[in-house]
Structures are given as C-alpha cells and as structure tokens.
Amino acid sequence: MTDASQLRILLTDDATEVGHELVEDHLFVSVGIQSTEGVAPMTTTELTRLGLSPHRAMEIAMARLRRTSEPDDLRVVDTLPGLRFLKVGDGLAASRIAVLPELMKPLPLGGVVVAVPEPSQLLCVPVDSARAIDGLQALASAVGHLEATRDDLLSDQLFWFDGRCWRAIPVHHGEEDITVLPPPDFLSMMSRVASMDWVQVAGEA
C-alpha cells in the first residue's frame, strides 16, 4: 500500500501530473512514488488516495530530498579539474539539482553549470574563476559521450544557475563535434569572473 513515506523527488524532461517546471521547456521537478521497481511519477489518482494536495506532496518529497542530500555528496573528479559529480545511493542524483544551490552555499560568484544526462547522474562545474572554462569543456565532452551511449537520456543540454534562476545553455551535438552556445549574459558573467581573477593576481603581485 502506498503511503507518504514513499514520496520522492524525480527530475523529468516532461511535465507530470504532480510537479513544476524548473528549466523552461527542459526540466521538471516531479513528485514520484518509490516502489520495488524504482521511482515513477505520481498520478493525481495516487494523490487523492493519500489525501494530499499537490503542494503538500511536494513539501514531503522535498523535505526527504534535503534530509538525504549533503554538501559532501559533491565529489571532485581527479582526472578532470573543475568538474564535480554528485554521489548518492538512491539512484536519483539528478533530482539534487533542486537543492544544489543549497548544497553549494556560499554559491560561487558565477553560479554553477550542471549536466543531468540521466536520473542517476549529476555533473557540475562551480564558476568561481576563469579556470572554470576547463571544467566546462570537460562537462560538455562528458555530456556528448553520454548522449551517444545512453538510450534513456534525460537531457543532453547544460544548465546554469546564476543565483536567481535556472536557464539552459544550448549544446549542439554534431556528428564529429560538440558546440556549446552560451547566452550573452553567461559570457558577460564569465568576463566579470575573469576580471576578478586579474584583480586578485594584481593584489598578490
């Protein structure tokens, strides 16, 4: 029998019956139900059976997500400087995008760029210096590799949290190369971050 303890946050690439949009036209934070077969999006029928409102179901699932997410879950990728991955044991790493800004407090000056190629994976690059460009290149390459090898792809795009909201950074996957098409405000932000690097270097000289 389903009960509220089985509610989970599930990141999806399409709208579900219980959830909300996180990144316009790309990602949705959905309430799911845990079963022996995995986590599936919750239906309004299940919501009625539990006697919950959509808002309350989301509150319960988000509270559990926060209890099962720690800053230490973000691990450094030793072979790819600047790149981090989120390690959790429930197979729902991508869902932590909903609380990632909380896990990274204080948020880096330039925010954070994230890839969620499948529900069990979250890769990210904190944009804290101009050196983050190397990490972003590694992130795009990793997404390109996963896009070519996964049948159950969640997203082959990159996503940027600027301190206020999440936005997509378009990625074009060609036959032989990958092209990242950052929006103008992302480029402006990188210029500001690079300027801060120069100020710091000048101050240390």
Side-chain angles (χ1 to χ4, degrees):
M1 181 177 176
T2 301
D3 61 56
S5 68
Q6 294 169 274
L7 299 184
R8 302 287 186 271
I9 291 296
L10 180 65
L11 193 66
T12 59
D13 60 357
D14 203 356
T16 62
E17 294 183 37
V18 187
H20 64 263
E21 192 173 54
L22 181 72
V23 183
E24 187 176 4
D25 297 329
H26 285 278
L27 297 176
F28 298 80
V29 174
S30 302
V31 178
I33 295 286
Q34 175 77 60
S35 71
T36 55
E37 298 177 355
V39 180
M42 188 180 201
T43 65
T44 52
T45 299
E46 290 166 323
L47 194 68
T48 300
R49 188 180 300 131
L50 290 175
L52 297 173
S53 67
H55 178 73
R56 182 56 183 153
M58 180 64 73
E59 279 187 336
I60 293 170
M62 284 296 299
R64 179 183 177 84
L65 189 73
R66 289 188 170 95
R67 288 196 306 271
T68 57
S69 305
E70 299 287 344
D72 288 346
D73 293 337
L74 281 169
R75 312 290 179 86
V76 173
V77 180
D78 294 333
T79 56
L80 297 171
L83 187 61
R84 300 186 190 182
F85 71 100
L86 196 139
K87 184 176 178 62
V88 289
D90 60 10
L92 297 173
S95 68
R96 270 65 181 191
I97 192 174
V99 294
L100 188 61
E102 300 172 29
L103 299 180
M104 299 190 71
K105 285 184 177 179
L107 194 71
L109 175 64
V112 60
V113 178
V114 174
V116 282
E118 57 186 13
S120 63
Q121 287 194 315
L122 184 150
L123 306 169
C124 70
V125 174
V127 186
D128 51 7
S129 73
R131 293 185 299 274
I133 292 174
D134 293 335
L136 293 173
Q137 291 174 335
L139 187 62
S141 296
V143 171
H145 171 72
L146 291 167
E147 186 269 342
T149 59
R150 295 290 190 276
D151 293 327
D152 57 343
L153 193 72
L154 175 58
S155 177
D156 61 1
Q157 303 296 293
L158 299 180
F159 304 98
W160 173 41
F161 184 74
D162 64 359
R164 300 183 305 277
C165 64
W166 285 99
R167 283 179 284 173
I169 298 179
V171 180
H172 173 70
H173 298 268
E175 292 185 5
E176 297 182 358
D177 57 11
I178 301 164
T179 305
V180 179
L181 305 168
D185 50 350
F186 182 83
L187 296 176
S188 297
M189 175 276 299
M190 287 300 301
S191 294
R192 291 196 301 273
V193 171
S195 296
M196 293 298 293
D197 276 2
W198 281 109
V199 169
Q200 182 175 352
V201 169
E204 293 173 352

